[in-house]
């Protein structure tokens, strides 16, 4: 077995999993249940590795990392996001990168639905007031008959679109790769922003999507609109979002992701009563965790057997 390193299982999800317990060749595996913290510490941990299993997106695989890891052949990512990896550098240095597409789609779509309902129904506020002895009435929004705008029609976006339709919402969508065969009503981006009562983001973070929703886009939304983001924080200009919430040009937001994670204590967004937060946990159900971790390990087995699966980018040398 080649040298395999897990440099960043913190907090541990891989270590306690059934998938990990049945993973073979343990004598050739180096496992760490803390974050590297720095690039130098990461390099020390993966020194000599042929395979790296990456758990946390906060661990960054830069061109410098690939340059100093001449034996590295495979980077197996748990999750779908690749924004922590210099993919072009990986290919140049002969490293194949794999991920775990689709396994958390149902979990994340359900979470987006929960955030949407929590914001529209003001559930956190009503819960707190009721616990305090109050008996508040009204001030909630019914979603049946409203318009749900989906930005991005990957596996998660498609599942959430169907959940929205199931509760009686009119669903419209915009995607970078439009395909009428997907079966959704496709509109241009500005029309979606102007028409939707809820806008939900389902894009990958890239140079093309960083700051994709900024002041101009937020200005097109209805004053009572709700923004849902379970994708990546930097897709939204956080300062522009904060301004829109403060000025009541936006009805509310449900956020599972942020520009800086964990969300710093005292962050200005945390002062907004019309925002519901969760800690980048949309895909962290027991079912999605186990399935994704199993796929990340299966990707290693398949690569070593000469039949790479779920390849994001292949080595070019």
């Amino acid at each position: 077995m080649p040298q395999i390193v897990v440099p960043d299982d913190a907090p541990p999800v891989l270590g306690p999993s059934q998938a990990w317990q049945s993973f073979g060749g343990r004598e050739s595996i180096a496992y760490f249940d803390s974050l590297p913290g720095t690039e130098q510490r990461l390099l020390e941990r993966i020194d000599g590795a042929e395979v790296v299993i990456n758990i946390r997106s906060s661990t960054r695989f830069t061109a410098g990392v690939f340059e100093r890891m001449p034996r590295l052949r495979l980077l197996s990512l748990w999750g779908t996001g690749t924004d922590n990896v210099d993919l072009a550098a990986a290919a140049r240095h002969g490293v194949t990168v794999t991920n775990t597409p689709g396994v958390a789609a149902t979990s994340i779509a359900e979470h987006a639905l929960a955030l949407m309902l929590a914001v529209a129904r003001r559930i956190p506020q009503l819960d707190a007031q009721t616990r305090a002895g109050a008996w508040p009435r009204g001030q909630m929004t019914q979603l049946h008959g409203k318009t749900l705008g989906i930005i991005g029609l990957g596996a998660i976006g498609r599942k959430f679109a169907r959940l929205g339709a199931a509760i009686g919402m009119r669903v419209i969508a915009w995607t970078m790769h439009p395909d009428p065969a997907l079966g959704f009503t496709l509109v241009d981006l500005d029309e979606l922003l102007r028409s939707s009562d809820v806008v939900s983001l389902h894009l990958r973070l890239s140079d093309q999507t960083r700051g994709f929703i900024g002041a101009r886009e937020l200005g097109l939304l209805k004053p009572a609109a709700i923004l849902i983001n379970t994708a990546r924080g930097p897709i939204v200009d956080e300062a522009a979002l904060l301004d829109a919430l403060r000025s009541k040009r936006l009805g509310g937001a449900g956020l599972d992701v942020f520009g800086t994670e964990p969300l710093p204590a005292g962050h200005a967004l945390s002062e907004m009563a019309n925002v519901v937060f969760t800690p980048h946990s949309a895909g962290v159900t027991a079912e999605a965790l186990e399935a994704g971790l199993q796929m990340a390990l299966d990707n290693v087995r398949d690569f070593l057997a000469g039949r790479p699966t779920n390849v994001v980018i292949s080595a070019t040398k």
Side-chain angles (χ1 to χ4, degrees):
M1 286 286 290
Q3 177 67 24
I4 299 172
V5 180
V6 181
D8 59 350
D9 189 22
V13 289
L14 178 62
S17 70
Q18 290 293 323
W20 182 244
Q21 300 312 311
S22 62
F23 191 61
R26 305 299 287 276
E27 68 281 354
S28 63
I29 297 174
Y31 169 86
F32 298 87
D33 60 2
S34 62
L35 293 176
T38 65
E39 184 169 296
Q40 182 57 40
R41 181 67 62 84
L42 173 64
L43 288 165
E44 291 169 2
R45 289 184 177 185
I46 66 176
D47 184 34
E50 294 179 63
V51 174
V52 170
I53 303 169
N54 168 227
I55 302 300
R56 299 298 172 191
S57 61
S58 58
T59 302
R60 305 197 65 80
F61 292 84
T62 65
V65 169
F66 291 117
E67 184 175 350
R68 293 177 61 181
M69 291 294 120
R71 296 189 63 206
L72 187 61
R73 298 164 52 203
L74 173 69
L75 176 60
S76 175
L77 307 177
W78 171 52
T80 58
T82 59
D83 46 289
N84 62 318
V85 180
D86 187 328
L87 295 175
R92 285 199 310 273
H93 289 278
V95 180
T96 296
V97 179
T98 61
N99 68 350
T100 57
V103 291
T106 296
S107 176
I108 296 172
E110 287 182 358
H111 198 88
L113 177 66
L115 285 173
M116 179 174 70
L117 288 166
V119 177
R121 293 286 177 159
R122 302 182 66 248
I123 289 175
Q125 298 93 323
L126 295 178
D127 175 83
Q129 291 170 30
T130 304
R131 289 172 186 269
W135 200 248
R137 317 303 294 165
Q139 300 180 335
M140 297 185 294
T141 299
Q142 177 175 293
L143 294 172
H144 182 93
K146 301 296 194 303
T147 297
L148 171 61
I150 302 289
I151 298 181
L153 282 175
I156 300 166
R158 295 195 303 272
K159 284 185 178 291
F160 185 43
R162 295 186 183 104
L163 289 176
I167 64 170
M169 300 187 78
R170 169 182 174 253
V171 177
I172 58 176
W174 177 91
T175 182
M176 289 186 175
H177 307 288
D179 180 359
L182 292 173
F184 298 99
T185 300
L186 300 177
V187 298
D188 68 40
L189 182 61
D190 284 3
E191 181 182 346
L192 181 145
L193 294 170
R194 291 191 183 99
S195 303
S196 299
D197 299 288
V198 178
V199 172
S200 189
L201 303 176
H202 302 283
L203 300 171
R204 289 187 180 182
L205 179 61
S206 66
D207 290 341
Q208 192 175 3
T209 62
R210 189 176 298 274
F212 190 81
I213 301 296
R216 189 193 78 85
E217 289 74 23
L218 291 167
L220 295 176
L221 293 171
K222 298 177 181 180
I226 294 169
L227 179 70
I228 304 297
N229 189 5
T230 55
R232 285 290 190 270
I235 292 172
V236 179
D237 181 328
E238 211 163 77
L241 175 60
L242 183 60
D243 183 60
L245 291 164
R246 278 176 171 161
S247 64
K248 308 297 185 184
R249 289 186 288 104
L250 184 63
L255 306 175
D256 185 55
V257 290
F258 307 91
T260 300
E261 296 180 357
L263 187 69
H267 193 286
L269 276 172
S270 64
E271 301 172 3
M272 301 291 102
N274 53 348
V275 182
V276 176
F277 296 134
T278 51
H280 202 152
S281 58
V284 189
T285 59
E287 296 84 356
L289 274 174
E290 193 65 38
L293 294 167
Q294 183 66 63
M295 186 179 288
L297 297 178
D298 287 345
N299 288 343
V300 174
R301 290 192 183 97
D302 290 345
F303 177 84
L304 296 177
R307 51 175 191 275
T309 51
N310 300 308
V311 173
V312 177
I313 194 163
S314 297
T316 58
K317 73 172 186 179

